[in-house]
Amino acid sequence: MPSAIHVPSVPHRSTRLPLSRPDLRLLDAIGQCGDLAEAARRSGLRAPAALRRLDRLDEATGMRLTLRDARVARLSPDGARLLVAGRRFFRQVDQAVQTEIYGRGSEALNAPRVLNIATAEPLMEDLVEDAADTLGILLSVSHDTPRQVLQQLAGYRVDAAHVWGVEGLPQAVDRTVRVFEVLDDPLWVTLPLGHPLAGRDRVSLADLRDENWVSEAGPRAEVLVSRVYQQAGLTPPSRIQVTGASVARGMLRRGDAIGLGSPACPAVFAPSLVRRSLVERPRRAAGLLVDPAVVPGALAQQLASLLTARCLTRFTEQHEDMLTDPWWADWLSTQQGLLKVRTDAARSLQSPPALPDESVQVDVEDLHLLRAVADHGSINRAAAVLSISQSALTRRIHRLELRLGARLLVRSSRGTDLTVPTRQFLSRLACFESELLAVGITGTADRLPSGDPGGPLPSRAHRSPRASGSRPGRSLSERPAARQAVAGRN
């Protein structure tokens, strides 16, 4: 789907980007380990040099990107957002190099080393080892409500979201996303063992309307129980306590309410509880939403298949008693067949060609030189603007050609100019750059569309670049951002 994000006009061409690839690696290392000395070591720097670089980044962006003292460093909310937006920007640059200069196709991207993912279901923790073993990636997982998961994706704080929706998968986020199906997720009801209907194999929603319910809210602030009743043509119950997943599980375990469950949710087991099929067969859809500029399609499909396999395995292990119902047995057989088809399709996808190593990737200084030539029409005029000689600029671009193994300059009777593919690459770069400034620096995408039926999401206030004359502080007494534990192998 096309991106719904608002981006400002193309930045002035003399403006340099606020961060480079080494800067991004330093922020990434801080986000992963939280130890300043270790983050500096992973970035190939000494701790004092890392501190100076962080100070420069704070000054260049007008934001406090890290919360730190002499030893500890953590990403601030602004720093976490800039990390995700910066990772997307440079992967867009790599993708444009592959498609425009090398002509290798839109999927020619390596998988990210660490994938930031938000989930609305607490089942990801036992998936991270599978991802590390079979896909070779680490998952940095955060858990939240479905609505907040989408807000994280829309606000450029994660690269992917695992979420559910009552009426299909939600797609109205302020980002370009691709949706991969995880599970057609039917629902059952959890009842106290002493409930009058607990002895039945199947119960009806109509018979449970006067009960005390507990329910989650979906991505669009829809109360799951209410939407299920409305879809069945019934009046929703009058007693519904809307809360988060963990509180709902506790209420069910204590017998304070009844609620809905599904194969995608961890089971609530207690001797005092039973699970029963519903006559109406209500459903919801679970899926994986990914940023296609960061997550290659082959990787996203494989990750979605792992999620589906994990849900089905949990269902067969924990809900074997429900397979006595022919409907559930048929559902499981159908889902296992679909999983096999999707898994085979994901495995058959050709691995993308490897990108050049870091030493030959295009960085911000290279982009600045190429953009100057494109904007001023020739090597001569660009050299004058850059305050270097024509021969020096030509040599620098020639060295870049040697690094990339691609032709960037063309010589004619009118002088030396950029090749057509290089100009096409720079044309796409302008959009990437505007998006980076919009979401990474000003934070204008940190919201869901105003047309959301659930109303606008609360958004944080972000400072614009240079919005304050005070120098960013470094005290850890400021409220820190929530740390995400990177699960998997180092």
Side-chain angles (χ1 to χ4, degrees), residues 117 119 121-128 139 141 143 162 307:
I117 182 170
T119 177
E121 299 293 355
L123 59 83
M124 292 286 292
E125 293 302 336
D126 54 1
L127 185 81
V128 292
L139 296 180
V141 183
H143 301 281
H162 171 231
L307 279 165

Side-chain angles (χ1 to χ4, degrees), residues 186 277 281 312 315-316 319-337:
S277 298
R281 304 300 185 191
L312 295 181
F315 175 75
T316 56
H319 304 288
E320 186 177 3
D321 57 316
M322 299 193 72
L323 296 177
T324 58
D325 184 332
W327 188 92
W328 278 102
D330 181 67
W331 171 85
L332 177 61
S333 176
T334 300
Q335 295 299 314
Q336 288 173 334

Side-chain angles (χ1 to χ4, degrees), residues 192 247-257 268 270 272-273:
V247 175
R249 288 167 57 83
M251 292 182 63
L252 291 173
R253 182 176 289 276
R254 294 196 315 181
D256 295 340
V268 181
S272 59
L273 298 177

Side-chain angles (χ1 to χ4, degrees), residues 313-385:
T313 298
R314 177 178 279 107
F315 175 75
T316 56
E317 291 174 350
Q318 299 182 348
H319 304 288
E320 186 177 3
D321 57 316
M322 299 193 72
L323 296 177
T324 58
D325 184 332
W327 188 92
W328 278 102
D330 181 67
W331 171 85
L332 177 61
S333 176
T334 300
Q335 295 299 314
Q336 288 173 334
L338 292 174
L339 173 62
K340 184 178 186 307
V341 171
R342 292 203 302 267
T343 301
D344 292 343
R347 289 174 178 170
S348 67
L349 293 174
Q350 184 178 2
S351 299
L355 287 175
D357 60 36
E358 293 180 355
S359 65
V360 297
Q361 288 177 334
V362 175
D363 208 346
V364 291
E365 186 61 31
D366 306 319
L367 297 175
H368 186 64
L369 297 178
L370 295 175
R371 192 172 62 184
V373 177
D375 288 346
H376 298 286
S378 72
I379 290 285
N380 289 338
R381 287 189 289 271
V385 171

Side-chain angles (χ1 to χ4, degrees), residues 196-212:
L197 302 179
R200 298 186 184 181
D201 293 332
R202 291 191 297 170
V203 298
S204 172
L205 289 170
D207 296 332
L208 300 171
R209 190 167 50 198
D210 296 329
E211 299 290 335
N212 183 34

Side-chain angles (χ1 to χ4, degrees), residues 157-452:
R157 297 197 293 276
V158 293
D159 306 309
H162 171 231
V163 72
W164 57 264
V166 179
E167 294 181 346
L169 296 174
Q171 300 183 44
V173 294
D174 282 351
R175 296 183 69 172
T176 299
V177 298
R178 291 176 65 180
V179 181
F180 295 84
E181 181 182 352
V182 171
L183 198 66
D184 171 23
D185 201 7
L187 302 169
W188 60 71
V189 65
T190 300
L191 300 172
L193 182 61
H195 193 279
L197 302 179
R200 298 186 184 181
D201 293 332
R202 291 191 297 170
V203 298
S204 172
L205 289 170
D207 296 332
L208 300 171
R209 190 167 50 198
D210 296 329
E211 299 290 335
N212 183 34
W213 283 87
V214 63
S215 178
E216 293 181 76
R220 298 181 178 278
E222 298 173 327
V223 178
L224 178 60
V225 169
S226 295
R227 292 298 298 135
V228 164
Y229 267 82
Q230 289 169 1
Q231 287 178 331
L234 301 172
T235 302
S238 58
R239 292 184 295 168
I240 304 177
Q241 180 164 337
V242 182
T243 183
S246 59
V247 175
R249 288 167 57 83
M251 292 182 63
L252 291 173
R253 182 176 289 276
R254 294 196 315 181
D256 295 340
I258 66 174
L260 297 174
S262 79
C265 297
V268 181
F269 288 110
S272 59
L273 298 177
V274 295
R275 297 169 302 283
R276 293 293 179 258
S277 298
L278 287 163
V279 174
E280 293 82 2
R281 304 300 185 191
R283 297 169 184 264
R284 64 179 189 176
L288 181 69
L289 285 69
V290 305
D291 181 343
V294 175
V295 187
L299 171 63
Q301 184 61 69
Q302 290 172 324
L303 186 57
S305 296
L306 282 179
L307 279 165
T308 303
R310 176 58 60 185
C311 293
L312 295 181
T313 298
R314 177 178 279 107
F315 175 75
T316 56
E317 291 174 350
Q318 299 182 348
H319 304 288
E320 186 177 3
D321 57 316
M322 299 193 72
L323 296 177
T324 58
D325 184 332
W327 188 92
W328 278 102
D330 181 67
W331 171 85
L332 177 61
S333 176
T334 300
Q335 295 299 314
Q336 288 173 334
L338 292 174
L339 173 62
K340 184 178 186 307
V341 171
R342 292 203 302 267
T343 301
D344 292 343
R347 289 174 178 170
S348 67
L349 293 174
Q350 184 178 2
S351 299
L355 287 175
D357 60 36
E358 293 180 355
S359 65
V360 297
Q361 288 177 334
V362 175
D363 208 346
V364 291
E365 186 61 31
D366 306 319
L367 297 175
H368 186 64
L369 297 178
L370 295 175
R371 192 172 62 184
V373 177
D375 288 346
H376 298 286
S378 72
I379 290 285
N380 289 338
R381 287 189 289 271
V385 171
L386 295 171
S387 299
I388 59 177
S389 67
Q390 174 189 350
S391 58
L393 178 56
T394 302
R395 285 195 301 271
R396 291 175 67 172
I397 296 180
H398 181 59
R399 286 196 294 268
L400 177 59
E401 288 180 318
L402 294 177
R403 280 169 45 209
L404 295 177
R407 188 181 181 188
L408 305 176
L409 295 177
V410 60
R411 291 168 177 80
S412 67
S413 58
R414 292 181 293 179
T416 303
D417 201 355
L418 298 177
T419 63
V420 172
T422 305
R423 287 189 174 277
Q424 291 173 340
F425 161 73
L426 291 174
S427 176
R428 295 184 62 188
L429 173 68
C431 297
F432 307 154
E433 195 172 337
S434 295
E435 183 187 79
L436 174 63
L437 295 177
V439 301
I441 306 300
T442 65
T444 56
D446 198 11
R447 61 183 184 272
L448 287 180
S450 58
D452 182 4

